[in-house]
Amino acid sequence: MPQIDQLLETWSSQVFWLLVFFGITFFLIGRGMVPKVMSTVALRDKQIADDLAAAQGARDAADDQEEAWRERENENRAKAQGLIGEAKAKAAAASEKKLTAAQKRLDTKLAKAEAAIEEARTTAMGEIEDVAAEATQDIVSRLAGAKVDKRTARTAVKKVLANG
């Protein structure tokens, strides 16, 4: 077969050219391009690592600032609660003073009103005794035909009212 006979003649030439092209490709790509690509990948990896480190540092700084802010906020909240408590205490004290003053005024008015009522009751009782004494005199004179003086009638009315 002639194709097989030709293979032995061209084989060494094909191997030679294969080695030549492989060598050229190895030196161009392996020695020229691959180191550039690897340095670019290494630079990119370094940049990513630096960016991650910077992000972590920023996150730590933000966490520290947030913690400081929370502490300030808690202190301010505690101060506000203290101020509210003081204001409530002052308002309660002021209300208590106003209530005490109002109670004193009401007690004074009540005492005056009780005195006026007692005076009116005493006056009314005196008038009732006068009317009852006059009615007693009139009843005794009509029924018994006797005349009773005002003083005796008043004494009898007071006795009845005191017992009754």
Side-chain angles (χ1 to χ4, degrees), residues 112-127:
K112 286 180 182 177
E114 286 176 350
I117 289 171
E118 183 61 31
E119 184 180 330
R121 188 181 70 76
T122 304
T123 304
M125 284 302 288
E127 290 176 4

Side-chain angles (χ1 to χ4, degrees), residues 28-43:
L28 286 177
I29 293 177
R31 297 288 182 183
M33 292 174 73
V34 169
K36 288 180 183 178
V37 170
M38 292 306 288
S39 69
T40 302
V41 169
L43 182 64

Side-chain angles (χ1 to χ4, degrees), residues 19-35:
L19 289 175
V20 169
F21 281 114
F22 180 74
I24 292 171
T25 305
F26 175 76
F27 282 109
L28 286 177
I29 293 177
R31 297 288 182 183
M33 292 174 73
V34 169

Side-chain angles (χ1 to χ4, degrees), residues 32-98:
M33 292 174 73
V34 169
K36 288 180 183 178
V37 170
M38 292 306 288
S39 69
T40 302
V41 169
L43 182 64
R44 183 172 168 231
D45 287 344
K46 183 183 179 308
Q47 183 66 36
I48 289 171
D50 291 345
D51 288 346
L52 287 174
Q56 185 62 39
R59 177 181 287 155
D60 292 342
D63 288 344
D64 291 343
Q65 288 178 355
E66 181 183 9
E67 183 63 30
W69 174 81
R70 286 188 192 280
E71 287 176 6
R72 282 193 317 271
E73 190 66 24
N74 288 338
E75 288 172 5
N76 290 338
R77 195 171 279 128
K79 286 179 185 176
Q81 290 295 328
L83 291 175
I84 289 170
E86 289 176 16
K88 282 182 180 179
K90 287 179 182 177
S95 295
E96 186 65 31
K97 285 181 183 178
K98 286 180 182 179

